[in-house]
């Protein structure tokens, strides 16, 4: 298997999920994967532009905060870019936020929803527990801070537990399936399909940002706003912008070098 078979694998695809590349080892940040994964993603996106330019792309390969902008630049150069069709998969952050919230609030996880906005690395992952449903009074400010930190560090926790044998795989498979299924539902005209994703955005001044996105027959139907934030979340939002901006710019620069 290799580049020779890419055309055959991609032709006719409505959706392409990209999990290719190296995972972190303990002590690494997602950005430490940039040097290897940026080239892999660039190569795959060049092939997507050639063989299935209309497909929705679900980007899983890290660092997502940079690989999504790389993909956008590759598609722009090829003349195939459609901002409605490019998604950074941040569903695992939502899965984690839901799980940790359900445990602390003592509610069934299947009933829980928590939007997670920003990006997909460290402090750029911003769970909005003030908007979690079902609402609860059982959580103190300290609890919210701890849940936020655990959500932000969830990937690192797994990488450390696996001690050099990779990163989250089964939970990512679940999250990847949830997100791809939502995309397929949207393509098939199912109404009101909403998931968080890292997409081209005007929600903040940053060109890419994760927030709730309504999915439809052409991919993104609407990028939804942030809603009411708590003071803690407002502070988190301001604090993440510098790192997220730098990661986005790094991807754009790489793709145009
Ligand atoms: N977005 C997320 O939430 C999330 C979650 C988990 C993992 N990840 C990322 O997904 C990526 C893969 O992680 P993993 O744990 O599955 O790693 P893995 O090593 O288990 O799998 C990576 C796969 O990529 C393939 N690959 C390597 N180079 C390739 C190339 N040039 N072209 C095509 N395929 C290639 C390998 O053969 C392997 O099958 C990593 O970058 C990881 O950080 C992201
Ligand atoms: O943490 C990682 O390196 C993999 C992935 O991004 C995750 O959140 O589990």
């Amino acid at each position: 298997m290799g580049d020779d078979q890419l055309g055959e694998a991609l032709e006719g695809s409505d959706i392409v999920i990209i999990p290719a590349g190296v995972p972190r080892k303990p002590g690494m940040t997602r950005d430490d994967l940039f040097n290897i994964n940026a080239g892999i993603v660039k190569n795959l996106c060049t092939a997507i532009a050639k063989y299935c330019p209309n497909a929705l792309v679900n980007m899983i390969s890290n660092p997502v905060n940079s690989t999504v902008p790389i993909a956008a630049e590759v598609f722009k150069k090829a003349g195939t870019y459609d901002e409605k069709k490019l998604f950074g998969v941040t569903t695992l952050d939502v899965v984690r936020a839901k799980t940790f919230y359900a445990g602390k609030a003592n509610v069934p996880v299947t009933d829980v929803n928590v939007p997670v906005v920003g990006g997909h690395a460290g402090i750029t992952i911003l769970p909005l527990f003030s908007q979690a449903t079902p609402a609860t009074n059982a959580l103190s400010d300290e609890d919210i801070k701890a849940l936020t930190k655990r959500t932000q560090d969830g990937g690192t926790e797994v990488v450390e537990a696996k001690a050099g044998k990779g990163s989250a795989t089964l939970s990512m498979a679940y999250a990847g399936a949830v997100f791809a299924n939502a995309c397929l539902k949207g393509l098939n005209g199912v109404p009101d399909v909403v998931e968080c994703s890292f997409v081209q955005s005007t929600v903040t001044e940053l060109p890419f940002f994760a927030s709730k996105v309504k999915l439809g027959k052409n991919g993104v139907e609407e990028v939804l706003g942030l809603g009411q934030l708590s003071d803690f979340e407002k502070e988190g939002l301001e604090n993440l912008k510098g790192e997220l901006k730098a990661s986005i710019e790094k991807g754009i620069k790489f793709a145009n070098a």
Side-chain angles (χ1 to χ4, degrees):
M1 295 293 276
D3 284 358
D4 294 351
Q5 279 116 349
L6 267 179
E8 207 180 321
L10 293 172
E11 230 151 27
S13 300
D14 294 319
I15 177 162
V16 180
I17 302 168
I18 306 185
V22 287
R24 285 197 282 168
K25 290 197 186 307
M28 291 171 83
T29 65
R30 292 177 182 82
D31 186 60
D32 291 333
L33 306 172
F34 186 97
N35 287 344
I36 299 178
N37 291 353
I40 292 174
V41 163
K42 191 176 175 187
N43 185 42
L44 293 174
C45 290
T46 303
I48 290 169
K50 186 170 174 190
Y51 295 109
C52 53
N54 296 317
L56 303 192
V57 175
N58 289 186
M59 184 69 72
I60 291 173
S61 309
N62 273 314
V64 167
N65 292 353
S66 301
T67 52
V68 169
I70 290 173
E73 292 304 303
V74 171
F75 297 149
K76 279 181 200 166
K77 277 191 182 176
T80 66
Y81 183 52
D82 180 348
E83 73 274 12
K84 293 184 171 60
K85 298 193 167 177
L86 177 59
F87 302 87
V89 181
T90 58
T91 319
L92 187 48
D93 301 317
V94 176
V95 169
R96 288 176 177 142
K98 282 183 185 183
T99 307
F100 302 148
Y101 179 88
K104 198 75 194 169
N106 203 19
V107 288
V109 70
T110 43
D111 293 351
V112 170
N113 216 341
V114 183
V116 182
V117 304
H120 179 67
I123 61 159
T124 73
I125 299 168
L126 184 62
L128 303 182
F129 287 112
S130 69
Q131 297 176 18
T133 53
T136 175
N137 292 325
L139 302 185
S140 66
D141 290 352
E142 285 315 304
D143 289 333
I144 298 289
K145 273 187 194 162
L147 289 179
T148 300
K149 176 110 178 67
R150 186 145 190 231
T151 305
Q152 292 172 333
D153 292 348
T156 307
E157 211 179 296
V158 176
V159 166
E160 278 166 9
K162 290 182 88 168
K165 293 201 169 66
S167 57
T169 44
L170 288 180
S171 54
M172 185 60 237
Y174 169 72
V178 166
F179 189 69
N181 202 28
C183 288
L184 290 173
K185 278 187 191 161
L187 287 179
N188 283 306
V190 176
D192 301 324
V193 181
V194 174
E195 288 290 336
C196 290
S197 180
F198 184 65
V199 294
Q200 183 174 312
S201 174
T202 54
V203 164
T204 67
E205 65 273 33
L206 299 172
F208 293 92
F209 196 82
S211 66
K212 286 202 268 186
V213 170
K214 194 168 177 188
L215 298 159
K217 287 186 176 177
N218 297 306
V220 174
E221 199 164 283
E222 191 183 352
V223 179
L224 302 173
L226 293 176
Q228 189 75 31
L229 304 186
S230 67
D231 287 346
F232 175 65
E233 290 159 359
K234 281 182 193 158
E235 193 185 327
L237 177 62
E238 287 317 306
N239 289 342
L240 69 80
K241 285 182 182 170
E243 181 180 328
L244 188 49
K245 182 170 187 279
S247 300
I248 292 168
E249 285 171 355
K250 188 172 175 179
I252 293 173
K253 192 168 165 206
F254 170 85
N256 289 304

